[in-house]
Structures are given as C-alpha cells and as structure tokens.
Amino acid sequence: MPTPMPAHQPLFLRNVCLPDGRSGLDLLVRDGRIEAVGPALAVPPDAKAIDAQGWLLSPPFVDAHFHMDSTLSYGLPRVNASGTLLEGIALWGELKPLLTEEAIADRALAYCDWAVARGLLAIRSHVDVCDDRLLAVRALRAVQRQVAPYLDLQLVAFPQDGVLRSPRALHNLKAALDLGVEVVGGIPHFERTMADGAESVRLLCELAAERGLRVDMHCDESDDPLSRHIETLAQQTQRLGLQGRVTGSHLTSMHSMDNYYVSKLLPLIAEAGVHVVANPLINITLQGRHDTYPRRRGMTRVPELLAAGVNVGFGQDCVMDPWYALGSGDMLEVAGMGLHVAQMTSVAAQRQCFDAVTVNNARILGLEGYGLAPGCRADFVLLQARSPSEAIRLRAHRLLVVRAGTVVSRMAPATAELSLPGRPATADFTAQTQGPPSQAPR
Ligand code: FE2
C-alpha cells in the first residue's frame, strides 16, 4: 500500500448521512484511520471539527477500468471520424510513435488532479505494452509513485494489439510486469481467430498464476454474439485457482447472446468468482455501430449478472482520447449512464449503481481498509446530496475529499440565487423526499 500523507490533527465530521440510509451521525478520524462512527460523539479538544450539515458521506469513488496512457490526448494527431472502436485502435496506433514519456506523465497527472477533485481516489488503469520502448509503462510507473500519497493507481499490462497477434507483445508484457505493473491484461476478441483468443486467455492466466498476480482482460468487446471468451476466462480461473482475482471487462457480446446460452454462462461466471466491469459511457457510444435499427445498446447484462451473485463494477474507461471525446472523471456520470442503459431505476437498483462505482470496484481492485467502518483508512467524500440516488441524479458536488485523514479537496455548495417577481428564492436541486430507504439492498 502507498504511504499516506501524515495527518496529525484528529478530524471530526458532525452530522452526516451514509449510503446505507443512516443519518445524524458523527465521524471521528485519528492518525489517518476512522476511529468511530455514531450519534452524538464527543469532539476531542484538539480536533479539527467540520459541520457536514447532514450531507452524504461516502467512501471514495473507485474506477475499475481506465486508460491513463491515452487520456486527454483528444485530437492528437486527429479525431476519430467514425467513432468506432476499431478506428480508435488505429488512431492510437498513429499516436503511439509520437508520444513522449513527459507528455504521457503530464496528461496523467492532470487527470489525477481532476480525479481527486471528483472524490475518485483509486483507479485501475490499463497501460498499452505493444510499444517496444515501453514509454507509457515507465511514465505511468513514475506517476503511480508521485500520486501515491493521495491516489491509489493500479496498472494493468495491456497488449492492445493482441498478445499473439503482435509479435513482441508477450515479451513486452513480461517486461512491464518486471517493471512493477501489477495486473495481467489481455484482449482475446482482437486476436486473429477464436482459437487464438482462447489460447491468449490460457497463457495469460497461467502467467498471472505463476507470478501471483491478478488478471483483468478486455473481453468480448464486440457485438458478435459468438464472441465467448468470457467462458474460457471463467474456466481458466477455476482451473488455476484464481477465484476472486480475475476480472472480465466490457463483456458487451453478452448483450447480443442467445438467452439460453447466457442462462448457462451466468452461473459459470459466478462459480468462478470472476468480477465484471461494464463501461457504460464508452460502450453506449462504441457498440452497435454496424446496426441500422433497432440499434443495440452495447452494454453487458448488468442486472442479470448481479442477480446471479457476480460482483459488477462500472468503469470510466476513457476521457478525451481516441475512443471518446467527452468525460471528466466523474464516476457519478458513469453510474448515471449505467443506470439508464440497464434500466436500473428502482430504489434498490439505483443503490446498486452507486455501489458499482464505490464498494464493488474496491473489491475488484482488492483495496485494503476501504469503507467507513472503524479501522478503515480515512478516505471519503462528502457529497451535496442526501442519498445515493440523489447523488447520481445531481452528479452531486464534492464538498470535501479526504485522504488518510487529510482534506485534499474542497468545493463550496452549489446554490443558485434567484431573482423572481415577488419573492427571493434559492435552488440547489436537492429534494425534500428521498424515496423509501428501507428498499435499499443493505
Ligand atoms: Fe478499456
């Protein structure tokens, strides 16, 4: 774990509500850890006390799927005219020879600043290893060390051009792991044949097992219902005893698969303990590009995976890069898009979408000491909202972001002062009613 910033003075937050629906609680932080959470706690005389005014306190946002080596490169050397995944990959190939270590690091650090301001304090980023210079690996390893006091950055060795399809990809991937990259990546649907895709899953899982590492593969990011590499990934996970350490990212082909096959596939993923990451913003824009109408949504089957007992997180994936022109590191925007695409509109399902950008992603990254219980590291975000649903609805302002007991970002509450005939008024868009909290899943 990275070394947190020193936090000598105790921190006391008065009057917060929590994602589980409890309200009117105080929270005491000492030595970078949460010491107590409860009603009417005594304020230590040496503590820095903050009145949270009943706003929602959440563990920090976590992004389980990002590409920090390409972020903020939008327009370099040109924009993606078709908007497709394949043109994005081709465009990234044009950009790679032009990259410098310094430029990658500068853009990554700028994005990390945005992340902290958004209360996003842990990110799993894939880093392309199909560049013999491994510039991006070296740049992001340096960034990882630099941001460690305030942001957990976990890196995945990602063979963007295919570990079998690209001649030196396996060599480079191993070299990246030797340089300290922690997770083994892959892209089986981009290999030349289904057989090569399955073979890539086998060899990469074996490599992870040999080295005691986690696995996170871009898997079946396609509208082809016969792209079934998730089946192989689950089977290899079981064979190698990697349960709980493997993630299948995207899985968009599942959207188009035959229902009978999916009814057999879901229990296999659950039994294998494979985590799933959906990337709603990216897949709603990249998938379905070969369709006329009806046009498929291109996101994996999130409610059905959750119902089967699979841990599902949502990822940002891209921000202003060859694949996506938008984004700002706002995991509430990600949760909101996932909610809409998957039609997860019930109170319980909205809460699941909030979990998908917090606790579920923390499980995927294997974060230790994550949460708001006594003993957890004092990482949290105070949101200008009264519930997880309201936080998603409003893309709530991050009033306070705390890392290991130290305030790392502040933002004033957003309130409009209206000048209306006959009466003064203000609007902050928060509601008096929050829905029935008893319907929340926990
Ligand atoms: Fe990705």
Side-chain angles (χ1 to χ4, degrees), residues 65 67 218 250 317:
H65 190 110
H67 293 264
H218 286 65
H250 292 289
D317 201 359

Side-chain angles (χ1 to χ4, degrees), residues 387-416:
S387 69
S389 292
E390 189 164 79
I392 294 172
R393 180 173 67 82
L394 298 179
R395 316 287 187 265
H397 276 240
R398 282 68 165 172
L399 302 175
L400 200 67
V401 181
V402 172
R403 167 72 165 193
T406 299
V407 176
V408 290
S409 179
R410 273 180 180 275
M411 185 180 283
T415 304

Side-chain angles (χ1 to χ4, degrees), residues 187-198:
I187 186 166
H189 58 277
F190 196 67
E191 303 292 352
R192 285 291 188 189
T193 65
M194 290 292 180
D196 277 1

Side-chain angles (χ1 to χ4, degrees), residues 152-228:
D152 295 315
L153 176 59
Q154 192 177 81
L155 298 177
V156 184
F158 174 46
Q160 172 75 75
D161 300 330
V163 75
L164 297 177
R165 184 170 171 170
S166 177
R168 288 181 57 81
L170 182 59
H171 174 271
N172 291 348
L173 189 148
K174 289 178 178 175
L177 299 179
D178 292 340
L179 287 170
V181 173
E182 305 108 309
V183 182
V184 176
I187 186 166
H189 58 277
F190 196 67
E191 303 292 352
R192 285 291 188 189
T193 65
M194 290 292 180
D196 277 1
E199 171 64 8
S200 77
V201 172
R202 183 193 64 75
L203 78 88
L204 290 166
C205 285
E206 287 184 354
L207 180 62
E210 280 167 21
R211 297 197 178 212
L213 300 176
R214 293 173 187 270
V215 175
D216 189 337
M217 291 198 191
H218 286 65
C219 194
D220 302 325
E221 190 179 7
S222 159
D223 295 320
D224 175 5
L226 297 179
S227 186
R228 296 176 169 184

